[in-house]
Amino acid sequence: MNVPATRKDFMIVNMGPHHPSMHGVLRLILSLDGEDVIDCEPILGYLHRGMEKIAENRTIIQYLPYVTRWDYLATMFTEAITINGPEQLGNIQVPKRASYIRVIMLELSRIASHLLWLGPFMADIGGQTPFFYIFRERELIYDLFEAATGMRMMHNYFRIGGVAADLPHGWLDKCLDFCDYFLTGVAEYQKLITRNPIFLQRVEGIGIVSAEEAINWGLSGPMLRASGVRWDLRKVDHYECYDEFDWGVQWQKEGDSLARYLVRIGEMTESVKIIQQALEGIPGGPYENLETRSFARERNREWNDFEYRFISKKTSPAFELPKQELYVRVEAPKGELGIFLIGDQSSFPWRWKIRPPGFINLQILPQLIKRMKLADIMTILGSIDIIMGEVDR
Amino acid sequence: MIIDPTTVQAINSFSRLKSLNEIYGIIWMLVPILTLVLGITIGILVIVWLEREISAGIQQRIGPEYAGPFGVLQALADGTKLLFKENLFPSRGDTRLFSIGPSIAAISTLLSYSVIPFGYHFVLADLNIGVFLWIAISSIAPIGLLMSGYGSNNKYSFLGGLRAAAQSISYEIPLTLCVLSISLSNSSSTVDIVEAQSKYGLGGWNLWRQPIGFIIFFISSLAECERLPFDLPEAEEELVAGYQTEYSGIKFGLFYVASYLNLLVSSLFVAVLYLGGWNISIPYISVPEFFDFEINKVGRVFGTTMGILITLVKTYLFLFIPITTRWTLPRLRMDQLLNLGWKFLLPISLGNLLLTTSSQLFSL
């Protein structure tokens, strides 16, 4: 009898770009041996909008509404980095009050981002209910944003040398109330999730990244801190006024998905601590450095030409970037968000290179999910915390 | 002898009557079946409503509220919508398997309702293999799921079908062992099992005689129903929707019907096997004594109605547990699921069976 030789073929599964748990439009080409993942090839670019090129013919103010579309869950950070670059390039001082407002906004945004990580992460593991709980607190944060900036997600709030508007009357009290409420919320999540045996079984020892690996892969943010590296740019770079508050860097040794979960939960409470201190100690004064509204305007115009006739028209502040280059970074909720900026003595940047944390962190994914189970893909991908808006830009 | 035409007509009419009688008998046979099916359908609508409302309560939402009072008719509205939706077939799938799959899954579960005693001797078929008919028939459902998974020509569906098969095989065994340790003490007829629990009020329930068995039965029946800690075959985040991925219209709805049928039958069996079935089980208040008109017909009808009500109340109260677990717990991984089934539940249920048999031997 002719016995056919058994040939072991792997099942090639095309996961994404519209798979329910691909966090947007990530596409993974998986080779599966039953439930085991043999190989994985991520394919990006389904949400590419040319954000870097767009920046090259916009002034900073014109470009600001775009940047909230990179990481649309931590919008304040994208605005902060867009402003910090030109500020540092032009050596512009920020008033103390503006700096405090920025810190409050950034930390609120960090909480919102971590909350909208927590819900989908739990949903990826199969627990649907936390997804609904996180929206309670997130709505409150967005209400605060709406009160201060006028928009819930795409606020367009930061300006070179300050912020667009001062905080409205009573906002500080509302924010303090939120902080008190949110601490009980975090305690509730920990009660609900952290010690759940099924949850622990799903995340403990899944997707382990050692400290050395994490550094070599260029990971940042909670991914790096969960592997035992105490690296937080807020402490390292001393930007804004983080040094004036008493808070600690959250970190874990294990480097697995559980450690990343714990780091993010811890960061939420730390952020609340920072916000509370900032709210207590917020100084008065101006919220914007008005000197920096430097207009790139022609002097000594000819009488009655086009420019002259519109001399009384207040053009939008077009900050002129000096002919220099620099790299600025902030600690975004997902990791190190940076831009490499080259100025060209014009109001447009000559080059605007974005370093999105999600994109760099995502690179380790194929290595982490090899030889794991199919269900672990979602756990690991969820614990990396990507936003396709900033990965593809 | 002269037979006048009227007599012939009379005889003919008799024979016609007889054939009518036969048809009448067949129809009369169908009546209880149809009643049962109707009752089950209503029961499922209730479960769907309960699930929506309880999940809404857990997740701090409102839940359905516009379709009927308190959104009771929401499931009906959904079903009607699904009926009118287009019936899509995957272009390169196996159309026949694709079409029979959902019906096999639904029908096999529906069949097992025939052995459930809703009231005192109010059962469609009091078979002496009783419970085992349910176990035997419910093993057919995964074949339907496998068919639909294979017929869809979709990798996610196929994986889902395979997972369904693996899961139901590994959890059928602990389930059977639990049922076996109950039916060892009396017969495996469902009616006899309930009667045996009727003696000592609440204390007579099998729940106290078989606490380990009850827990294992509950866990395995959750796995059999593919409810949330064990809903791997249709795990949304991994397999899109598992074997349902390619389905649309009423075939898609049929999977939901099958899953809720399965849930209802499992918790009915919990009520029958462990919670004393139709007995009110509160000492000193037994329904016939309380009203004391068992002799007349009305009394018996009343007794049966009470029995049905009690069974249903127990069932639906028990249903709160699977529904709340579904909205509370995250999902297991496939290997963890199989480990739990084979390395934990199976040995323990075997030990439970051993305990039961040895206690039976000693009591003899």
Side-chain angles (χ1 to χ4, degrees), chain A residues 301-316:
Chain A
R301 291 182 198 85
E302 203 174 307
W303 188 80
N304 210 20
D305 75 338
F306 181 82
E307 288 289 324
Y308 190 88
R309 272 186 280 170
F310 288 91
I311 199 160
S312 59
K313 184 175 185 295
K314 190 182 172 191
T315 55
S316 59

Side-chain angles (χ1 to χ4, degrees), chain A residues 321-339:
Chain A
L321 296 167
K323 199 178 174 86
Q324 277 172 27
E325 58 181 58
L326 91 162
Y327 174 73
V328 277
R329 53 189 188 178
V330 290
E331 181 71 30
K334 281 147 190 104
E336 176 182 328
L337 173 65
I339 53 167

Side-chain angles (χ1 to χ4, degrees), chain A residues 334-374:
Chain A
K334 281 147 190 104
E336 176 182 328
L337 173 65
I339 53 167
F340 178 67
L341 175 62
I342 303 180
D344 193 26
Q345 207 64 54
S346 77
S347 50
F348 301 152
W350 192 82
R351 176 81 173 105
W352 185 278
K353 168 82 179 76
I354 308 163
R355 183 219 189 263
F359 177 61
I360 312 283
N361 287 351
L362 187 62
Q363 294 181 78
I364 201 176
L365 178 78
Q367 195 216 357
L368 283 184
I369 65 179
K370 262 175 213 168
R371 285 175 299 281
M372 301 300 271
K373 297 273 181 251
L374 179 65

